[in-house]
Amino acid sequence: MAELKDVKGIGPKSLSLLNKIGIFTIDDLVTHYPFRYDVLKRDELSNIGDGEKIIIDGKIESVPILMRFKAGLNKMNFRLVTPSGVVGVSIFNRAFLKSKLLVGTDVIVIGKLDKSKNVITASDIKFDILSNKVKIEPVYHCTSGLTNKNMSTYINMALLMYGKEIVDYIPNEYQERYQFVNKKTALNIIHNPSTSEKLKEVTIRLKYEELFQFMFKINYLKQQKKREKNGLVRKISREKLNHFINKIPFTLTNDQTKAIDEIVKDLEAPHRMNRLLQGDVGSGKTVVAFTAMYANYLCGYQSALMAPTEILATQHYLNLCEFFKDTDIQVALLTGSISKKEKNEIYKGLLTGTIHMVIGTHALIQDEVIYNNLGLVITDEQHRFGVHQRANLQNKGIKPDVLYMSATPIPRTYALTIFGDMDVSTIKERPKGRQKIDTYVKKNSEITEVLEMMYEELKGGHQIYVIAPLIEESENSDLTTVNELKDQMKLAFKDKYRIDIVHGKMASGAKDLIMEQFKNNEVQILISTTVVEVGVDVPNATTMVIFDADRFGLSTLHQLRGRVGRGTSKSQCILVSDSDAERLKIMEREDDGFVISEEDFKLRGHGDLFGTKQSGDMTFKIASIKNDYKILLQAKKDSKEYLENKDTDNDSLKKYLIQSITKVN
Ligand code: ADP
Ligand code: MG
């Protein structure tokens, strides 16, 4: 394929400017889609403001005067009579039009009007006066030194010279099925649309192509993973497993049972497990994880569970000890803060295999940690861990199965894409007897009422989380605001209750200490400037107050709300905000995290759901996961069908698609 520099008109300078905005190949260039279109109507002079764009009909009144400058540049001026008055027209670098621009000729001029000089600087002159009533002009992301006009010229030149060579990723069969135009035509139209109908049609076609290519890749990777036989093969005794499950002090929900079943099947299968276990806060993922660890133990392998913070690791550890107290299973906790001596003991146990299960933080994946036969790795709140960290396990050659747990419900659309190459188990059903958390939206002016509600809970012996109002980090005033809030609460509740603060700039040790005190009910009101550590379990906390609630996404609010309602007492969540009440009202009526995340997603896109980690994979040039869900589903179905269809195995396109995937991975 030709290179960018081969396109006529692209010299070294424009090449480096194009590179600057991420355009390196001809393919990049022709898929540099307009981010919007300006629709120009044919109009009259009097309706157009200074500096505005215009399309106007008129008759040439004066012989064009041509001026030539250095470097082959030129400019032409003439007068145009229009139904709404006479106007001057200037056009650059169209000397070749001079012979056609005769006095008395009818033309359409497209350009920008300078009202004070009464001159239109034209970008184009057309002679076909019967052409459309509107002109749709593409507007591109450009950079200084590279104009919209340049961009358009380069793209059209590239299409003219190399349009036929541009790979069309839609197989013929689907091209025909949906009566799509070919790639070259589609690109021509998207960059030079004549009507909005045509534009719409090819936009769908190009979106489909992009999603087809993407879903093909995901389907392919998934298929490959399934085919790889590099996982552990185990035979798990259902009898022993069921015996164990029957001893759990509550009955598992159907979703929990189903998830366990799916995991156990994965553990037995020869491919490596790569599964996401998702479920709302409190839906009971932990038991599922522990049961998986037990199944793994039955086959003689070690398990490791990674948590994002020490507090969470410790919490899991205590639960795990309780869970396996009547068994011979040896459990250890490995975090950064335990003594060197203890650490060495644990390292030894993991190396020799006397420790069967280990819980910990990042400490689990340090180089010093060598496992004897690690068979299963579980990460809690997986989006907090980087991919390379997970890969960092020293395991004497055994490739463990991996289970990710996430309490952030992912809308179907995202599950399909972000976790597209993972299998997903979902727990939707809640354990029986869970109470709904009452949620109220309050204004700042209703603060007295909020304080009264808090006081009622405190009197009942309960504890409260408070998320402090938004503060500009840069102002460095955050502690002042939080301290003021603390003073206000002190004033309201006197010295009867202990109030403490955790904030973002605090060392993690100090933070953990206060969290610990809150857990032990030595602190009754915990004011936090940051989002409270995900997953902390303090059943006695029954109220969550969130100031400036409008600044959070609904999914985050739902997560925060999930900190309460963990015990048997009725719990509540108070959202304080003076704006965005409509959105916050969703929280009042909805308590299903999946529904909330769908709503959030409709309102805000995926920004709130995850950090930036996934965003690289999520950038599409024309498709949008948010708006093009239907096309995505179709593309998913079609690409899977195409991939699995043996008759197409000799297609050069299929080979090409697979080749391009294996190259980048
Ligand atoms: P999460 O999904 O947020 O990790 P947990 O696993 O911590 O939820 O479960 C929350 C609480 O619910 C725990 O105290 C757990 O013991 C309890 N639990 C889990 N499953 C059930 C069930 N099927 N019936 C009753 N209680 C359950
Ligand atoms: Mg949990």
Side-chain angles (χ1 to χ4, degrees):
M1 177 99 185
E3 290 176 45
L4 207 47
K5 65 173 168 43
D6 301 330
V7 176
K8 218 175 120 198
I10 299 183
K13 195 170 149 244
S14 31
L15 190 66
S16 77
L17 288 170
L18 288 168
N19 289 172
K20 203 172 133 190
I21 52 173
I23 299 174
F24 294 94
T25 64
I26 288 178
D27 207 70
D28 291 343
L29 179 66
V30 297
T31 56
H32 186 69
Y33 297 117
F35 70 93
R36 70 177 161 85
Y37 293 88
D38 279 343
V39 179
L40 306 184
K41 286 205 176 64
R42 267 149 97 164
D43 215 334
E44 304 196 343
L45 278 177
S46 50
N47 290 338
I48 303 295
D50 188 41
E52 277 181 13
K53 285 198 166 174
I54 183 172
I55 307 185
I56 194 159
D57 293 86
K59 221 183 243 316
I60 298 180
E61 199 202 40
S62 69
V63 178
I65 298 165
L66 177 65
M67 285 162 279
R68 291 189 184 273
F69 310 111
K70 272 187 293 192
L73 301 178
N74 61 71
K75 178 182 173 184
M76 247 184 318
N77 293 333
F78 60 87
R79 271 200 320 276
L80 186 75
V81 188
T82 81
S84 49
V86 178
V87 66
V89 175
S90 292
I91 187 159
F92 286 90
N93 304 327
R94 300 294 165 91
F96 57 88
L97 285 180
K98 190 167 188 304
S99 59
K100 285 178 86 181
L101 296 171
L102 305 171
V103 173
T105 310
D106 287 319
V107 290
I108 302 167
V109 172
I110 300 156
K112 221 181 234 176
L113 177 67
D114 182 331
K115 221 155 177 147
S116 60
K117 291 188 186 140
N118 192 34
V119 167
I120 297 172
T121 304
S123 59
D124 208 357
I125 295 175
K126 291 198 187 296
F127 298 90
D128 171 19
I129 46 168
L130 292 174
S131 73
N132 305 307
K133 285 261 181 297
V134 293
K135 178 170 166 58
I136 305 172
E137 270 200 353
V139 184
Y140 298 98
H141 283 297
C142 296
T143 181
S144 131
L146 194 65
T147 64
N148 201 58
K149 182 79 198 159
N150 293 148
M151 194 61 90
S152 170
T153 309
Y154 298 153
I155 290 171
N156 285 311
M157 185 51 79
L159 284 174
L160 189 70
M161 295 173 70
Y162 305 108
K164 283 214 182 69
E165 294 174 39
I166 292 161
V167 183
D168 191 333
Y169 292 99
I170 308 180
N172 286 336
E173 191 190 335
Y174 300 96
Q175 200 95 242
E176 279 161 26
R177 187 183 298 176
Y178 303 118
Q179 300 188 322
F180 284 147
V181 296
N182 66 35
K183 176 91 166 248
K184 187 184 173 203
T185 310
L187 289 172
N188 263 321
I189 294 174
I190 197 116
H191 291 295
N192 309 282
S194 54
T195 65
S196 54
E197 289 75 31
K198 277 224 171 82
L199 177 61
K200 216 171 178 175
E201 211 179 289
V202 301
T203 304
I204 292 174
R205 187 245 178 253
L206 291 168
K207 282 177 171 178
Y208 175 88
E209 181 181 4
E210 193 170 35
L211 293 168
F212 183 92
Q213 208 182 340
F214 180 77
M215 290 313 306
F216 182 89
K217 175 175 158 182
I218 285 186
N219 287 325
Y220 177 78
L221 292 175
K222 207 164 171 171
Q223 188 192 60
Q224 288 309 102
K225 266 186 200 153
K226 285 261 152 70
R227 284 188 185 167
E228 278 170 18
K229 309 244 181 295
N230 59 356
L232 298 170
V233 184
R234 309 172 178 77
K235 186 81 202 87
I236 295 165
S237 156
R238 302 299 154 118
E239 200 190 322
K240 284 184 187 162
L241 193 63
N242 286 335
H243 182 71
F244 174 79
I245 289 172
N246 287 334
K247 282 200 298 187
I248 297 173
F250 43 76
T251 316
L252 296 180
T253 62
N254 291 331
D255 283 350
Q256 283 173 320
T257 307
K258 182 154 172 268
I260 290 173
D261 208 49
E262 287 165 343
I263 293 167
V264 166
K265 284 206 182 102
D266 273 356
L267 291 175
E268 289 184 322
H271 59 81
R272 284 181 80 183
M273 173 164 74
N274 182 36
R275 181 172 290 277
L276 172 76
L277 173 63
Q278 62 165 342
D280 229 338
V281 274
S283 61
K285 295 182 291 297
T286 316
V287 197
V288 174
F290 288 0
T291 309
M293 290 163 86
Y294 183 72
N296 182 51
Y297 161 80
L298 284 179
C299 306
Y301 294 103
Q302 293 171 302
S303 305
L305 195 164
M306 290 204 278
T309 65
E310 282 212 33
I311 293 229
L312 277 176
T314 311
Q315 192 175 296
H316 276 314
Y317 173 72
L318 295 173
N319 285 338
L320 197 73
C321 291
E322 173 67 25
F323 208 71
F324 292 115
K325 64 173 189 281
D326 299 327
T327 67
D328 297 331
I329 300 174
Q330 292 301 309
V331 180
L333 174 69
L334 184 63
T335 63
S337 67
I338 63 170
S339 75
K340 185 107 189 140
K341 190 163 159 270
E342 282 175 293
K343 255 185 215 161
N344 286 332
E345 286 285 305
I346 295 176
Y347 292 161
K348 216 173 104 201
L350 289 173
L351 182 63
T352 56
T354 53
I355 295 174
H356 306 117
M357 298 180 183
V358 62
I359 315 282
T361 53
H362 291 80
L364 287 184
I365 47 176
Q366 303 305 309
D367 285 344
E368 301 84 352
V369 192
I370 304 166
Y371 295 88
N372 184 49
N373 59 355
L374 185 61
L376 173 66
V377 177
I378 301 179
T379 70
D380 194 7
E381 302 307 337
Q382 62 87 25
H383 50 282
R384 293 248 202 137
F385 278 106
V387 179
H388 62 285
Q389 290 173 319
R390 291 187 221 123
N392 215 2
L393 293 153
Q394 307 277 322
N395 192 30
K396 294 205 206 131
I398 295 178
K399 289 198 168 151
D401 287 298
V402 185
L403 179 71
Y404 310 92
M405 291 200 278
S406 175
T408 312
I410 298 143
R412 286 167 305 162
T413 20
Y414 274 101
L416 263 183
T417 49
I418 302 176
F419 299 118
D421 63 337
M422 262 186 216
D423 296 301
V424 181
S425 296
T426 303
I427 308 184
K428 279 208 157 181
E429 201 183 341
R430 271 168 219 233
K432 287 204 176 58
R434 276 298 146 74
Q435 304 196 40
K436 185 167 185 260
I437 301 162
D438 288 333
T439 302
Y440 309 93
V441 179
K442 296 279 176 196
K443 291 207 161 44
N444 278 300
S445 57
E446 296 170 295
I447 186 76
T448 322
E449 206 179 313
V450 175
L451 291 170
E452 274 164 13
M453 290 166 84
M454 290 170 69
Y455 190 46
E456 281 306 310
E457 288 303 302
L458 291 168
K459 278 198 295 193
H462 295 302
Q463 291 162 273
I464 299 176
Y465 291 101
V466 176
I467 306 292
L470 174 64
I471 29 250
E472 285 293 323
E473 289 274 338
S474 55
E475 284 173 20
N476 222 356
S477 63
D478 56 348
L479 287 180
T480 341
T481 322
V482 181
N483 279 318
E484 274 168 20
L485 187 67
K486 186 177 165 186
D487 291 343
Q488 193 181 5
M489 303 251 158
K490 272 227 145 76
L491 203 67
F493 307 126
K494 307 290 179 302
D495 284 332
K496 273 188 250 170
Y497 304 103
R498 225 187 110 193
I499 304 169
D500 220 325
I501 296 174
V502 289
H503 59 86
K505 295 198 182 90
M506 224 165 183
S508 74
K511 214 173 2 183
D512 285 356
L513 184 70
I514 294 177
M515 296 300 295
E516 198 56 41
Q517 290 175 344
F518 187 63
K519 237 184 126 149
N520 299 334
N521 199 2
E522 291 153 16
V523 167
Q524 284 74 44
I525 302 179
L526 182 70
I527 304 177
S528 170
T529 63
T530 49
V531 168
V532 187
E533 299 297 324
V534 195
V536 208
D537 206 7
V538 186
N540 191 44
T542 52
T543 299
M544 165 67 69
V545 184
I546 304 170
F547 285 91
D548 285 354
D550 54 278
R551 81 184 139 123
F552 295 107
L554 297 182
S555 292
T556 307
L557 290 175
H558 180 68
Q559 287 276 327
L560 286 169
R561 179 168 64 181
R563 300 298 113 230
V564 298
R566 303 201 144 215
T568 44
S569 305
K570 184 81 187 157
S571 294
Q572 56 186 348
C573 173
I574 306 169
L575 305 174
V576 186
S577 166
D578 290 340
S579 59
D580 216 4
E582 251 346 276
R583 191 171 66 99
L584 296 177
K585 292 269 179 205
I586 296 173
M587 297 299 295
E588 285 189 347
R589 35 169 217 273
E590 209 37 82
D591 67 342
D592 178 337
F594 287 91
V595 176
I596 288 173
S597 81
E598 288 279 358
E599 293 282 339
D600 207 16
F601 177 58
K602 277 187 214 143
L603 291 164
R604 299 170 42 121
H606 71 279
D608 186 50
L609 281 178
F610 304 98
T612 46
K613 187 169 79 70
Q614 282 91 355
S615 63
D617 309 331
M618 299 293 295
T619 45
F620 291 96
K621 284 183 164 177
I622 190 162
S624 136
I625 301 263
K626 189 174 157 191
N627 302 322
D628 304 322
Y629 186 51
K630 278 199 185 136
I631 306 178
L632 176 75
L633 282 188
Q634 194 60 49
K636 179 186 181 238
K637 188 163 163 272
D638 294 349
S639 62
K640 189 157 189 280
E641 180 186 274
Y642 179 65
L643 175 70
E644 287 168 1
N645 182 356
K646 296 256 179 313
D647 294 345
T648 58
D649 280 356
N650 286 321
D651 277 18
S652 52
L653 176 64
K654 193 169 188 174
K655 283 182 185 153
Y656 183 81
L657 276 164
I658 290 172
Q659 219 175 44
S660 63
I661 296 166
T662 29
K663 227 185 284 166
V664 285
N665 285 281

